[in-house]
Amino acid sequence: MRELTIAMPKGRLFNSVVKLLHAAGYLDRTLEEDSRKLILCDNQSGLRFILAKPTDVPTYVEYGAADLGVVGKDVLREENKDVCELLDLGLGYCRLVVAVKENSPLVDVTQLPFNSRIATKYPRITGEYFLSRGLQVDLIKLHGSIELAPIVGLAEAIVDITSSGQTLRENGLRVLAEVEECTARLIANPVSYKIEHQRISELVRAMRRVVLSEQGGNKV
Amino acid sequence: MKNRRLLTPKGMRDYLPREAAWRRLVEDKVHRVFTSYGYQEVVTPTLEHMALFAAGNNDDEQAYRFVDREGEVLALRTDMTTPIARLVVSRLREAPLPLRLCYFGNLFRYESPQAGRQREFTQAGVELLGVDGPAADAEVVMLACRALEAAGVQDFHIDIGHVGIVNRLLSRAALLKTTEEAIKEALVQKDLVVLERLVQQNIADEGLKKALTGLSECRGGLVVLEKAAELLQDDRDPALANLAEVYRRLELAGLERYITIDLGLVKAMNYYTGMVMEGYTRELGYDLCSGGRYDRLLGEFGYDLPATGFAMSVDRLLLVLERQGCLGCQQPVGFWVRFPQTVQSWQLDLVEKWRRAGAVIMNDLGMAVDGPTIEFLPSGKVAWHSGDTRLELDPAQVETRLFPGTGGV
């Protein structure tokens, strides 16, 4: 049988997804994330994992180089690729927020000065967010250390992900508004979803059971 | 950039001789299938009035637009179905029905080039006009199968579905227009996370919830239609009956191995009104051909005529064939010919005769060339040389000795 290829983001999300697959009965051993290995195979379940940079996961899936992928909703929206979104895994929760300097007098994004500069890794989402509020801003695309921008005067505000808000606080920033909540999603190539429909559906059902029971557990 | 003039514009590409030969070969095979079913080729202008595409419900944001010298807004065509509808309404109203037309044309859409999407691309397709009903729908799907077979595609799949099913479920839910659009969009994108959220938030009826979220699971053979009848709580739904009849006809034609009924198949284009189809292969992560019934489009132009059709992307077809290793190129081997300084008319005639018989012969134009060469000698004989081999022949012998496959004139 042909292997199902799953593109996974390197980093913390990887281990959570492996645990989820294990609980769903798909992996009977834990796959070690070895930073030098880019492909991991599990013969028993017929799954093959490729480890990619998170922003590249949707690309692997869109071209069909991977049948499935796991990626944060933030990246998925930003990359805007033609893929099916099958399941909210509930993992890797974070918020995409607009943040400003702690001592800023602003209480609402509409108070941002005309043509404010906004630094972000997410120019598409940020552009849509401000456009839908009728606000005109200058987007500055950065690739990392976004928190630096307001401190050194590169931008009036940033749009970035935060989970506990600690990094923001440490850099003298605070949340001004929430853009959206993000969790990891299971995505599929549209053609793989058709051709391997049965196997993918079974996998989704098994994973959904685990996700639902864990969510139920958290609420108690 | 200084060398920009040497680059092709973004999303546009050249076809080099080898690729262009493949493309012509594949197009010829597809064309032969279309014409064998009686589809006659039409050619429409590359530029049309922008208003045409706006009327055709197309996403006009993707059109390359121009203002001509008279101030008219023109657009590079973004699809072929709309121009053909215009052509039929304006020039073929008197033509006997059913009307069968086919086309091969390049289209332009201003999109960010990504997987399988170029800004200029070629489509081959058919339109079957003037007939309603499953026989016509089945013919179009059958033609897609035959065309892909003829082109040499291995192991392709075609899904058939029907817009009537989703539309019926949605109208039963009696939703706000915007919610309905959002649910449709989620179905088109196969965004099951958003779909489930929207259905949970906006629909109270449990049966309807289950039906809408369960649609993408309804894939397979005829059995799927029984399951769908349950979801719809109606075993005489006209859409299901239509699909059953289409499937039965494709089965009779021995094509069921290619066909999957997929009730979750929902298309982005708004003009579809009945059966829809989509073809794909494992080698390509996106669809290869696509089509369906569009009974209202011609009516919008003032000639109420049911219609159905499909289009396939020639560029994607070539990509699949290449990945499957099926792009066998039957390019005939070429020969060089070297004429003496004082070339004589009988020599030219002879070479022309060989060409007409199917040989590929290139004048070396006095340049040093590599490869099999035929040389006219002052003695009146002909020398054939290729590598270290050299042969002297009588001109009359050349045809049988060197081009045995051509079968004489």
Side-chain angles (χ1 to χ4, degrees):
Chain A
M1 195 170 43
R2 185 179 164 272
E3 285 169 323
L4 275 184
T5 302
I6 308 183
M8 301 270 267
K10 288 181 189 164
R12 68 197 163 93
L13 206 48
F14 178 84
N15 290 323
S16 318
V17 177
V18 167
K19 245 164 64 188
L20 202 162
L21 282 167
H22 179 69
Y26 271 82
L27 291 174
D28 52 9
R29 60 195 178 98
T30 44
L31 290 173
E32 292 297 319
E33 188 192 0
D34 177 338
S35 59
R36 281 158 303 176
K37 261 195 178 166
L38 297 175
I39 299 179
L40 299 167
C41 291
D42 182 63
N43 297 332
Q44 196 148 14
S45 59
L47 299 180
R48 183 170 75 141
F49 299 90
I50 56 180
L51 296 177
K53 208 177 157 184
T55 48
D56 292 338
V57 166
T59 305
Y60 281 94
V61 175
E62 185 186 39
Y63 276 87
D67 301 298
L68 298 165
V70 172
V71 66
K73 181 68 182 173
D74 52 328
V75 174
L76 194 54
R77 257 195 77 188
E78 183 62 29
E79 295 299 312
N80 194 35
K81 302 285 187 187
D82 222 342
V83 295
C84 306
E85 199 174 321
L86 302 183
L87 185 64
D88 182 345
L89 300 177
L91 301 170
Y93 173 85
C94 62
R95 297 186 304 151
L96 200 58
V97 298
V98 184
V100 288
K101 279 205 261 190
E102 209 144 33
N103 57 13
S104 157
L106 305 182
V107 293
D108 192 289
V109 280
T110 56
Q111 295 168 335
L112 277 167
F114 186 68
N115 277 355
S116 281
R117 294 160 300 166
I118 316 288
T120 184
K121 268 194 287 190
Y122 304 92
R124 174 192 294 271
I125 303 178
T126 306
E128 280 173 10
Y129 175 80
F130 285 102
L131 187 69
S132 70
R133 278 156 187 76
L135 300 171
Q136 186 167 291
V137 295
D138 265 356
L139 294 178
I140 300 174
K141 161 103 190 191
L142 294 179
H143 294 86
S145 305
I146 315 295
E147 298 83 3
L148 206 54
I151 303 168
V152 298
L154 176 62
E156 277 70 45
I158 64 168
V159 168
D160 203 11
I161 50 168
T162 174
S163 42
S164 63
Q166 196 181 340
T167 317
L168 291 179
R169 274 193 302 277
E170 281 169 2
N171 288 291
L173 302 177
R174 66 174 174 86
V175 173
L176 179 63
E178 181 177 296
V179 177
E180 70 174 339
E181 294 184 310
C182 301
T183 43
R185 305 296 160 93
L186 180 70
I187 58 173
N189 174 273
V191 169
S192 297
Y193 186 60
K194 289 164 180 281
I195 292 182
E196 301 287 354
H197 191 261
Q198 198 142 5
R199 284 166 75 198
I200 292 178
S201 291
E202 273 168 26
L203 181 67
V204 170
R205 270 196 295 275
M207 289 175 87
R208 183 195 296 272
R209 270 197 300 276
V210 177
V211 170
L212 289 178
S213 73
E214 281 186 359
Q215 281 172 352
N218 287 343
K219 272 177 200 152
V220 173
Chain B
M1 202 196 311
K2 196 181 164 198
N3 275 333
R4 191 177 168 122
R5 58 188 178 155
L6 294 182
L7 300 173
T8 53
K10 203 171 174 187
M12 307 200 172
R13 50 166 302 192
D14 297 319
Y15 276 79
L16 298 182
R18 199 173 68 129
E19 299 170 286
W22 285 341
R23 184 168 131 163
R24 163 106 27 197
L25 195 76
V26 166
E27 282 189 350
D28 281 351
K29 287 177 180 172
V30 170
H31 183 259
R32 221 167 297 140
V33 173
F34 289 173
T35 52
S36 75
Y37 278 68
Y39 288 78
Q40 295 175 296
E41 187 169 350
V42 287
V43 178
T44 63
T46 309
L47 284 166
E48 295 271 1
H49 290 289
M50 187 60 220
L52 176 72
F53 295 107
N57 273 337
N58 280 340
D59 191 357
D60 56 4
E61 279 176 20
Q62 288 190 324
Y64 280 86
R65 269 168 276 193
F66 305 91
V67 178
D68 73 5
R69 291 185 182 183
E70 282 90 50
E72 291 276 356
V73 183
L74 303 179
L76 288 170
R77 57 188 174 196
T78 55
D79 92 323
M80 287 298 288
T81 302
T82 317
I84 288 179
R86 174 195 56 71
L87 172 145
V88 171
V89 172
S90 60
R91 307 190 196 282
L92 291 174
R93 272 199 196 228
E94 308 303 323
L97 301 175
L99 189 56
R100 288 182 165 92
L101 301 174
C102 70
Y103 56 83
F104 292 79
N106 50 344
L107 312 184
F108 303 84
R109 284 184 203 157
Y110 197 87
E111 44 192 347
S112 50
Q114 62 187 89
R117 289 196 201 147
Q118 295 286 318
R119 288 182 175 177
E120 180 181 16
F121 54 100
T122 305
Q123 277 188 348
V126 301
E127 312 294 351
L128 172 50
L129 304 123
V131 207
D132 196 357
D137 293 329
E139 175 170 314
V140 164
V141 179
M142 187 166 166
L143 203 51
C145 293
R146 297 301 185 210
L148 290 173
E149 278 178 343
V153 181
Q154 313 285 311
D155 196 26
F156 58 86
H157 306 261
I158 290 184
D159 286 358
I160 56 173
H162 199 295
V163 298
I165 296 161
V166 171
N167 287 344
R168 186 155 179 212
L169 289 171
L170 287 175
S171 75
R172 212 184 272 172
L175 300 162
L176 289 173
K177 187 95 185 127
T178 48
T179 314
E180 192 175 306
E181 290 296 317
I183 290 182
K184 249 193 187 164
E185 176 68 17
L187 283 164
V188 170
Q189 299 291 328
K190 283 240 159 63
D191 184 342
L192 305 186
V193 177
V194 164
L195 176 68
E196 185 157 343
R197 223 160 268 169
L198 286 170
V199 166
Q200 292 298 350
Q201 285 166 2
N202 295 291
I203 297 175
D205 183 279
E206 284 301 323
L208 216 48
K209 274 188 195 174
K210 203 177 138 208
L212 277 168
T213 50
L215 273 179
S216 67
E217 294 299 309
C218 289
R219 280 179 59 81
L222 274 179
V223 161
V224 166
L225 296 179
E226 288 166 28
K227 202 167 145 195
E230 264 172 54
L231 286 177
L232 283 172
Q233 295 157 330
D234 180 1
D235 51 12
R236 299 175 68 174
D237 181 80
L240 296 183
N242 174 280
L243 278 182
E245 184 56 20
V246 170
Y247 192 86
R248 196 185 67 83
R249 285 167 182 270
L250 293 169
E251 215 172 13
L252 282 174
L255 295 171
E256 77 275 13
R257 66 183 184 282
Y258 299 130
I259 309 295
T260 306
I261 298 174
D262 180 358
L263 301 187
L265 177 58
V266 184
K267 308 279 257 180
M269 286 238 187
N270 267 329
Y271 60 53
Y272 291 113
T273 58
M275 188 211 74
V276 286
M277 52 108 47
E278 206 168 86
Y280 51 92
T281 69
R282 191 184 280 289
E283 287 74 16
L284 215 58
Y286 30 88
D287 64 54
L288 188 56
C289 62
S290 160
R293 177 164 287 286
Y294 53 100
D295 286 345
R296 282 195 290 272
L297 180 63
L298 279 89
E300 280 177 35
F301 297 136
Y303 179 25
D304 209 358
L305 205 61
T308 178
F310 85 94
M312 63 168 88
S313 156
V314 175
D315 314 87
R316 292 181 183 186
L317 192 57
L318 288 168
L319 205 57
V320 167
L321 288 169
E322 183 158 38
R323 289 192 189 162
Q324 294 185 337
C326 297
L327 266 184
C329 209
Q330 301 135 343
Q331 284 276 83
V333 187
F335 292 86
W336 296 102
V337 63
R338 175 166 303 164
F339 292 112
Q341 275 286 311
T342 50
V343 59
Q344 299 185 22
S345 134
W346 68 269
Q347 295 167 330
L348 292 171
D349 285 349
L350 196 56
V351 170
E352 207 50 42
K353 188 177 145 217
W354 296 334
R355 286 193 181 119
R356 267 186 226 126
V360 174
I361 303 174
M362 304 161 283
N363 191 333
D364 74 355
L365 300 174
M367 311 237 328
V369 293
D370 234 5
T373 306
I374 298 161
E375 185 176 354
F376 285 91
L377 301 172
S379 63
K381 288 210 158 199
V382 170
W384 180 78
H385 36 101
S386 172
D388 294 337
T389 329
R390 189 185 155 90
L391 215 63
E392 274 195 25
L393 299 166
D394 226 39
Q397 289 177 297
V398 172
E399 193 166 320
T400 43
R401 290 289 298 274
L402 296 186
F403 320 126
T406 55
V409 182

